[in-house]
Amino acid sequence: MASSTPSSAPTGALRIRYAALTDVGRRRTVNQDSGYASDRLFILADGMGGAAAGDLASSEVMNIVRRLDAPLEGDPLEALAGAVHRANDRLAEVIEGDSTVEGMGTTLTALLWDGQAFGLAHIGDSRGYRLRDGDLSQITHDHTFVQSLVDEGRISPDEARTHPHRSLILRVLLGADDNEPDLDMVEVQPGDRYLLCSDGLSDMIDDESIREALGLENIDIAAVELVNRALAGGGHDNITCVIAEVVAADDPQEDLAAADGEPMLVGAASEQSRPRTTNAAGGGASGVNAEESDDPGIADGEVESEPDPEHLRYAPREPRRFRWIKGLMILLAVLLLLGVAGGLSYSWTQNQYFVASSDGKVAVYQGVQADVPGLSLRSVYEVSDIELDALPTFRREQVVAGIESSDLQDARASVSSLRELAGRCADPKAAARPGSECEGAS
Ligand code: CA
């Protein structure tokens, strides 16, 4: 678990305390979250892409957006919007340079302090919360499939929490064109606490638990408690929280811990770059945060090798979706072709005729003599009056084996010649004569 340090700096009438903490969680070996906190900038980026590069995506975006941590000139929302676009362009650039990371993406939630209020930029399903006077409210809107269902009144927020597709994200930074963030100003009051967190926290504990923990005596304790509660709740995913507290510039309470006034960077963006892996399961990579690996709550044996549920998050994203749809279309096309070809083949078989026996008589069959499993390709078309026994042995065997015909007319001609033969052999003496064409007829 990363350490958290608070700090403060004068910003006129108000100033901001900050804390940031991350934990890889109980089921992951790589932290794909990145968090940043300073006295004027708060950023949360939850990378995704399984083994592909979720940590790379969140790091790249983090490293662009945290350049905003400088004296602000102009409108905070313009600054944020510009940073989001640059971050998205950076993702596009990285993906262009390395096709193995195509599909990586990241959420981004950022608060930029302008001295009196926060500008908020948000895309994805990370969360922003405000705790004011003991009441918790969410200041961000999830860009998720289930949230869209809630917005449409089709499911309740409670149902959304347990919905099978609750992890599907509709909008994140992917280095593509349609990645506009939500941009809002957030008015503040002294005493407000703001929490930015990844879904590894908000999926593990409910709002009431977040409210309680965020309200603890100081934000360092709150950060630790939030992460611990998410771990206790399952710790299925990387857990990151970034906390801002708005206090009066002359607030008498001392800042705690090793407040050195330096910004805090936690998670993927704070780690050494790790060797890329082609392991699609997302696990097994090196690079567990050294700060986190000494957490006694996370034994190596607890890391599970089950399929990475994070992969599910990609379903709604366009590149994946179109790949998936394309695959389905190909499959359908193949099935359709097989169906059409099968239909044509069957149609062809039903224009074929042959001569064979049916109940001891010579008959014309429609179809072909071969069958395919589950499908008979022949049926009796017409039965003649010719008794099989009236034919000489050789011809009888031919009929039993089936006599190929080019068409119905040809089949009927065969039947006619067999009838003539049977007629000629109707004389018992002819049938009995050794070497005659009627040998074996009776
Ligand atoms: Ca996550």
Side-chain angles (χ1 to χ4, degrees):
M1 197 176 287
S3 62
S4 67
T5 53
S7 186
S8 62
T11 54
L14 297 172
R15 64 188 176 95
I16 309 293
R17 286 199 185 103
Y18 58 93
L21 188 61
T22 191
D23 194 290
V24 73
R26 295 188 180 278
R27 295 192 178 184
R28 304 298 172 95
T29 55
V30 174
N31 195 338
Q32 300 188 322
D33 289 353
S34 292
Y36 184 87
S38 75
D39 56 9
R40 62 184 156 212
L41 180 63
F42 298 82
I43 310 170
L44 195 296
D46 175 357
M48 54 201 65
D55 51 338
L56 180 64
S58 85
S59 297
E60 292 289 341
V61 165
M62 173 61 72
N63 288 332
I64 297 287
V65 178
R66 70 190 177 99
R67 293 179 194 165
L68 289 175
D69 197 355
L72 180 65
E73 291 172 12
D75 181 61
L77 295 185
E78 277 179 28
L80 283 165
V84 172
H85 277 122
R86 286 191 295 279
N88 196 49
D89 288 348
R90 174 64 188 153
L91 282 187
E93 191 180 298
V94 173
I95 291 166
E96 200 181 322
D98 180 0
S99 62
T100 66
V101 300
E102 190 183 347
M104 71 176 182
T106 183
T107 72
L108 177 67
T109 304
L111 288 169
L112 179 59
W113 179 243
D114 74 353
Q116 288 162 340
F118 282 116
L120 168 68
H122 169 71
I123 183 166
D125 69 344
S126 297
R127 293 265 173 94
Y129 290 96
R130 171 170 56 204
L131 182 68
R132 175 179 289 173
D133 300 330
D135 292 328
L136 186 79
S137 53
Q138 189 177 333
I139 60 171
T140 53
H141 193 80
D142 294 352
H143 297 146
T144 58
F145 174 66
V146 289
Q147 183 61 50
S148 70
L149 296 182
V150 172
D151 294 345
E152 291 166 14
R154 292 164 65 184
I155 62 172
S156 72
D158 272 354
E159 288 168 328
R161 286 188 70 83
T162 55
H163 196 281
H165 302 310
R166 62 187 174 280
S167 60
L168 294 185
I169 303 181
L170 299 182
R171 228 192 314 157
V172 285
L173 291 181
L174 292 167
D177 292 335
D178 55 345
N179 296 313
E180 293 302 320
D182 295 340
L183 294 167
D184 287 300
M185 288 305 296
V186 178
E187 302 304 325
V188 306
Q189 291 179 9
D192 282 355
R193 286 182 180 177
Y194 294 87
L195 166 69
L196 307 184
C197 66
S198 56
D199 63 343
L201 191 145
S202 53
D203 279 357
M204 291 295 109
I205 59 175
D206 62 16
D207 285 2
E208 176 55 22
S209 189
I210 291 174
R211 190 190 69 80
E212 283 176 9
L214 188 55
L216 291 176
E217 66 179 274
N218 65 57
I219 57 174
D220 297 273
I221 291 172
V224 172
E225 180 64 16
L226 284 164
V227 170
N228 283 339
R229 287 186 181 204
L231 286 169
H236 293 174
D237 196 0
N238 307 143
I239 304 157
T240 301
C241 65
V242 169
I243 304 177
E245 183 177 37
V246 180
V247 296
D250 58 357
D251 184 271
Q253 184 186 331
E254 278 191 37
D255 295 335
L256 299 176
D260 55 6
E262 292 299 311
M264 299 180 66
L265 179 63
V266 298
S270 72
E271 297 176 28
Q272 298 291 318
S273 61
R274 65 185 176 87
R276 299 243 59 82
T277 172
T278 54
N279 175 6
S286 61
V288 176
N289 191 337
E291 292 174 290
E292 296 155 358
S293 59
D294 58 1
D295 186 324
I298 303 170
D300 284 345
E302 286 180 281
V303 174
E304 297 177 10
S305 60
E306 66 191 26
D308 189 347
E310 194 83 338
H311 283 202
L312 296 173
R313 293 156 69 85
Y314 297 83
R317 293 192 301 109
E318 292 202 343
R320 285 284 172 121
R321 180 174 60 187
F322 287 135
R323 279 202 287 276
W324 181 79
I325 287 174
K326 192 175 174 187
L328 184 63
M329 289 303 291
I330 289 170
L331 180 63
L332 282 174
V334 167
L335 289 174
L336 204 61
L337 281 170
L338 284 174
V340 168
L344 289 173
S345 300
Y346 183 76
S347 170
W348 173 82
T349 66
Q350 298 311 296
N351 283 316
Q352 306 303 306
Y353 295 87
F354 63 96
V355 176
S357 66
S358 174
D359 289 329
K361 288 191 160 71
V362 172
V364 172
Y365 281 77
Q366 184 179 35
V368 293
Q369 298 187 63
D371 280 345
V372 294
L375 180 64
S376 177
L377 295 176
R378 61 173 172 233
S379 59
V380 174
Y381 184 71
E382 56 192 17
V383 180
S384 75
D385 55 354
I386 307 164
E387 296 284 345
L388 215 53
D389 287 347
L391 295 172
T393 306
F394 173 65
R395 298 297 277 174
R396 186 165 62 235
E397 285 172 0
Q398 275 192 318
V399 170
V400 169
I403 300 169
E404 301 248 353
S405 307
S406 57
D407 53 28
L408 179 58
Q409 196 179 1
D410 188 39
R412 283 172 169 167
S414 294
V415 170
S416 292
S417 80
L418 288 171
R419 182 179 291 109
E420 284 173 23
L421 179 62
R424 289 199 296 278
C425 297
D427 180 355
K429 278 188 253 175
R433 198 183 307 134
S436 87
E437 62 168 358
C438 293
E439 191 174 5
S442 60

